[in-house]
Amino acid sequence: MKSFNKTLIAVAVALTSTQTLAAGFQLNSQSATGIGRAFAGDAVIADNASVLSRNPAAMALFDTSAFSAGLTMADVQVDVKDVSFKEGAVHLGSIDDAGTTKIIPNVYFIHPVNDKVAVGFAAFSNYGTGTDTSSLSNKPVVPFDLLGNTEVTTVNFNASVSYRINDMVSVGVGLDAIYGEGVLTRDMGNQALVDVEADGWGLGGIVGATFELNENNRLGLSYRLSPTINVEGDIKAAGKMHESLDVPLADIFQFAGFHQITSNFAVHYTAQFTQWGNFEEITLINSAGNQALKEYKWKDSWLFSYGGTYTINDQFTVRAGFMHDQGVVNELSSLSMPDSDRTWYTAGLSYHINPKHTVDFGIALVKGEEVDLVEKSLIVGPVNATTKSGAMYYSVQYSYQF
């Protein structure tokens, strides 16, 4: 059983590793319905069990058990252009596509115990990133300390419970067991400056509330407390081995609204605050004292999304959304985790096979801004580059109402 569990985790991590195209290394890929409406209102719409990824209190909106599972394919384009140092005297070239295509899975189950209490279980990912700039190491002297492979991946295993206080107010709480894995390599010729392959667990949680103003209007709030994950494994930096690494994850607060305007048309929205100001550094942990492996000093960010849903008939529902996602880079830029403001344009379709079975499809075009950055190398001094990211997301999901 232990070997089987490790295999499941390894498969999940392999599927979730990608440059994420959200603020910092935050993921927005938890469901096909969410992608189709740019995750607008996702903490309170509760049209399938994937609402568990955003707000445990929304489980109180279900009268019967619900199951959802899906896959999202992220086709990511990351361009790193005009990398140079010594005030432009030395050019390292460009990478036309440092991104990859990955499959990101999710699964959810909600069960109402009675008319007051519901429980739910889920597996999904909120964080993950990956960039590889090692192909720029094409000269005898380059910023070896900045160029290489960087990956951070997480899988969130969640158990939640909700309680209906009255006809208007419900609350919920959940426990997150988060598995994290990190890979970081920086090579200078045949010498490894940094060589990290480590994994570990952290415990976090989420609290939420829903407010049903009437049958056509409701609001949702949630706050997710994300831990600092301590990972252990093979950790080599600064010429010696280290015990472990601390990788902080950001807390997430969101407010969502849903309003059924007519019998066929609804509007919904989300404002989300992510506390990336906590992500100051990745820290080497040692009995002799801790030290920073890499400083980032990011800033907090906001995400705003707006969407609409139109029910064509008993079989088909369509949706669309728009999202603006703020970047997190502040004073320190990074080639390993490039970031910028992003705009999402999304659309989705639900096919209701019958009242119990539904298949959902979502698609998103993500456009990032072009950013000129400067990152200081301990080997060659300031390094200049221009980065730009974009993506297409394709998602499919199956939902069943028992």
Side-chain angles (χ1 to χ4, degrees), residues 302-356:
W302 281 95
L303 173 157
F304 301 96
S305 64
Y306 315 89
T309 298
Y310 184 77
T311 301
I312 299 174
N313 53 38
D314 291 341
Q315 281 194 306
F316 294 99
T317 301
V318 293
R319 57 187 61 88
F322 170 85
M323 179 196 299
H324 180 71
D325 189 13
Q326 293 180 339
V328 299
V329 172
N330 197 9
E331 297 177 0
L332 300 179
S333 300
S334 173
L335 279 170
S336 62
M337 291 190 188
D339 193 44
S340 71
D341 290 358
R342 298 176 177 90
T343 303
W344 293 55
Y345 306 92
T346 74
L349 168 71
S350 292
Y351 172 56
H352 308 284
I353 301 170
N354 57 43
K356 291 182 177 293

Side-chain angles (χ1 to χ4, degrees), residues 11-28:
V11 170
V13 167
L15 290 173
T16 56
S17 301
T18 183
Q19 176 66 30
T20 59
L21 271 295
F25 52 94
Q26 187 175 358
L27 275 170
N28 279 316

Side-chain angles (χ1 to χ4, degrees), residues 29 53 88 90 92 135 140 142 176 228 236-237 245 253 284 303 320 365:
S29 60
S53 68
V90 181
L92 300 181
S135 64
V142 299
D176 293 328
T228 293
K236 180 181 180 182
L245 275 174
F253 167 79
L284 292 164
L303 173 157
L365 168 64

Side-chain angles (χ1 to χ4, degrees), residues 104-372:
I104 308 167
N106 56 74
V107 61
Y108 309 93
F109 177 70
I110 293 173
H111 175 64
V113 178
N114 52 45
D115 60 354
K116 291 287 187 180
V117 178
V119 296
F121 305 93
F124 54 95
S125 183
N126 279 323
Y127 298 101
T129 190
T131 57
D132 190 352
T133 57
S134 56
S135 64
L136 294 174
S137 302
N138 54 10
K139 294 183 182 297
V141 179
V142 299
F144 294 108
D145 52 336
L146 306 185
L147 303 178
N149 184 36
T150 302
E151 289 192 24
V152 177
T153 64
T154 67
V155 182
N156 191 329
F157 300 94
N158 172 272
S160 294
V161 60
S162 69
Y163 180 77
R164 177 173 287 281
I165 297 174
N166 53 41
D167 290 342
M168 180 179 177
V169 181
S170 302
V171 295
V173 62
L175 176 67
D176 293 328
I178 303 171
Y179 176 80
E181 183 181 66
V183 174
L184 183 67
T185 58
R186 301 290 185 268
D187 296 326
M188 185 169 63
N190 296 322
Q191 179 184 359
L193 298 178
V194 178
D195 190 1
V196 174
E197 187 171 353
D199 63 353
W201 289 85
L203 289 178
I206 183 171
V207 295
T210 60
F211 305 91
E212 298 170 71
L213 307 180
N214 54 47
E215 64 179 359
N216 293 321
N217 300 277
R218 54 185 181 266
L219 305 173
L221 293 169
S222 70
Y223 185 87
R224 170 161 265 123
L225 179 66
S226 299
T228 293
I229 296 183
N230 181 258
V231 296
E232 298 179 342
D234 297 323
I235 303 172
K236 180 181 180 182
K240 62 179 181 179
M241 300 301 294
H242 300 268
E243 297 172 8
S244 64
L245 275 174
D246 273 354
V247 181
L249 302 178
D251 294 353
I252 305 169
F253 167 79
Q254 60 184 299
F255 167 75
F258 173 84
H259 306 283
Q260 191 74 42
I261 306 301
T262 71
S263 59
N264 297 91
F265 179 66
V267 296
H268 27 87
Y269 47 86
T270 288
Q272 177 177 292
F273 176 78
T274 306
Q275 199 172 6
W276 278 117
N278 290 338
F279 191 73
E280 294 192 353
E281 65 180 34
I282 296 176
T283 308
L284 292 164
I285 307 299
N286 301 284
S287 57
N290 303 338
Q291 66 185 92
L293 173 63
K294 176 71 176 178
E295 288 190 331
Y296 290 95
K297 297 187 182 299
W298 284 351
K299 62 183 179 181
D300 299 335
S301 69
W302 281 95
L303 173 157
F304 301 96
S305 64
Y306 315 89
T309 298
Y310 184 77
T311 301
I312 299 174
N313 53 38
D314 291 341
Q315 281 194 306
F316 294 99
T317 301
V318 293
R319 57 187 61 88
F322 170 85
M323 179 196 299
H324 180 71
D325 189 13
Q326 293 180 339
V328 299
V329 172
N330 197 9
E331 297 177 0
L332 300 179
S333 300
S334 173
L335 279 170
S336 62
M337 291 190 188
D339 193 44
S340 71
D341 290 358
R342 298 176 177 90
T343 303
W344 293 55
Y345 306 92
T346 74
L349 168 71
S350 292
Y351 172 56
H352 308 284
I353 301 170
N354 57 43
K356 291 182 177 293
H357 302 268
T358 300
V359 179
D360 299 292
F361 304 92
I363 187 170
L365 168 64
V366 187
K367 301 186 69 174
E369 296 180 357
E370 189 170 86
V371 175
D372 296 322

Side-chain angles (χ1 to χ4, degrees), residues 36-74:
R37 56 183 171 239
F39 295 95
D42 253 37
V44 76
I45 291 181
D47 48 359
N48 57 63
S50 66
V51 71
L52 191 52
S53 68
R54 301 279 171 158
N55 187 357
M59 293 192 298
L61 302 174
F62 288 78
D63 296 326
T64 63
S65 297
F67 169 83
S68 292
L71 295 172
T72 298
M73 183 180 77

